[in-house]
Amino acid sequence: MAASLIRLHFHDCFINGYDASVLLDGSDSEKFAAPNQNSARGFEVIDAIKTAVEGQCSGAVSCADILAIAARDSVLLSGGPTWKVLLGRRDGLVANQTGANALPSPFEGLNILTAKFAAVGLNITDLVSLSGGAHTIGLAKCAFFSNRLSNFSGTGAPDATMDTSLVSELRSLCANGDGNNMAPLDRNSIDLFDNHYFQNLINNKGLLSSDQILYSSDEAESTTKSLVASYSSNSNLFFANFVNSMIKMGNISPLIGTNGEIRKNCKAVLSLTEI
């Protein structure tokens, strides 16, 4: 669940800023966008926390702040760093399913990913540290990496930047064509928040294409490769940069003052819950 809560934090920040829009139900819900449908999880955890908080201090703590704290605590409880979460955000009034359909994708190249991060004020260091933080724990479905196992990009062969033993193992896992079978994002360090993810990239054992390109692509040579190498041997540097990036991400266009609202139910805006 820790990986899922961290992922919710990421997916919320990229759409409309950090306003808990990813938690809203409705016809335009971001939950039904392609990157989230049958993939994003943890909504019930945030709802349960919100219910408990409302029971103690109704209308005081936003869903956005709860999600930020839950993501921070998920990192800490998985063995990672902690930090002070800036509070005072308010919740958005609308979801943006169209925007959510354009979230950074595991199938996109480094130049596109860099541009999407830059569009929300995040730089190359943020891209690498946040990728490591998001994928040092958790699982990914075969549907998100099976394209690397054969005829990659029309080559007639597996992705040359994937270790051959890993290709064989993953072919067996995904052999029945069920895209829902899962593999660990951080091979040999599944549940621990650490820098092992970056060591995997150096050994061509990144699971997703969007992970491995941070080290192995031509574009990485002058951008992300040196960061991957540094983080692989210096967990303190990775932790410090990840914390800075999480704080930056949590401050993407927050609603403050009289903007937005503080929902009573994270699934719905006040105008629907007060009918």
Side-chain angles (χ1 to χ4, degrees):
M1 185 53 66
S4 297
L5 293 174
I6 295 169
R7 188 163 179 255
L8 281 184
H9 179 280
F10 282 25
H11 283 209
D12 187 63
C13 290
F14 270 88
I15 311 302
N16 297 351
Y18 201 50
D19 66 349
S21 60
V22 72
L23 305 177
L24 287 169
D25 285 345
S27 59
D28 196 39
S29 175
E30 295 166 25
K31 297 176 183 179
F32 301 118
N36 293 329
Q37 192 167 23
N38 299 318
S39 176
R41 302 188 310 131
F43 300 106
E44 72 284 358
V45 175
I46 302 300
D47 290 339
I49 296 171
K50 178 62 172 175
T51 297
V53 171
E54 284 295 306
Q56 296 298 315
C57 47
S58 181
V61 183
S62 68
C63 299
D65 277 350
I66 289 173
L67 182 55
I69 295 168
R72 187 272 313 273
D73 289 355
S74 294
V75 171
L76 177 62
L77 293 173
S78 299
T82 188
W83 61 94
K84 182 178 180 180
V85 175
L86 300 177
L87 303 175
R89 303 171 189 80
R90 289 165 66 85
D91 299 320
L93 303 177
V94 294
N96 182 355
Q97 189 176 125
T98 300
N101 276 317
L103 281 162
S105 163
F107 305 109
E108 291 173 335
L110 184 54
N111 289 338
I112 294 176
L113 293 174
T114 300
K116 287 188 173 183
F117 272 67
V120 294
L122 300 174
N123 60 30
I124 289 290
T125 300
D126 300 318
L127 169 59
V128 179
S129 65
L130 291 170
S131 294
H135 296 162
T136 182
I137 56 175
L139 306 169
K141 295 181 179 180
C142 286
F144 293 112
F145 59 81
S146 59
N147 65 308
R148 303 183 67 199
L149 306 181
S150 61
N151 196 29
F152 179 66
S153 297
T155 61
D159 186 344
T161 66
M162 180 179 279
D163 175 77
T164 55
S165 64
L166 181 57
V167 170
S168 297
E169 179 182 319
L170 295 176
R171 277 178 170 173
S172 296
L173 175 70
C174 305
N176 63 3
D178 184 355
N180 290 317
N181 285 344
M182 293 187 174
L185 285 159
D186 189 0
R187 181 181 172 89
N188 297 326
S189 180
I190 300 174
D191 298 318
L192 181 63
F193 193 103
D194 58 15
N195 66 336
H196 188 266
Y197 161 91
F198 298 104
Q199 297 166 19
N200 278 340
L201 300 189
I202 291 174
N203 292 312
N204 286 345
K205 293 182 178 179
L207 183 65
L208 305 179
S209 175
S210 58
D211 292 327
Q212 193 61 52
I213 59 174
L214 298 177
Y215 186 77
S216 301
S217 66
D218 291 339
E219 296 85 355
E221 287 292 335
S222 60
T223 55
T224 56
K225 186 173 183 176
S226 60
L227 280 169
V228 171
S230 295
Y231 293 159
S232 73
S233 61
N234 189 337
S235 60
N236 289 332
L237 177 63
F238 165 48
F239 280 14
N241 285 359
F242 174 77
V243 165
N244 288 336
S245 296
M246 285 292 280
I247 292 172
K248 283 178 65 176
M249 179 177 276
N251 287 334
I252 296 175
S253 303
L255 298 173
I256 57 176
T258 58
N259 294 317
E261 64 184 19
I262 296 180
R263 298 178 206 147
K264 292 184 178 296
N265 179 341
C266 292
K267 297 178 181 179
V269 297
L270 286 175
S271 60
L272 295 179
T273 58
E274 294 181 341
I275 294 175

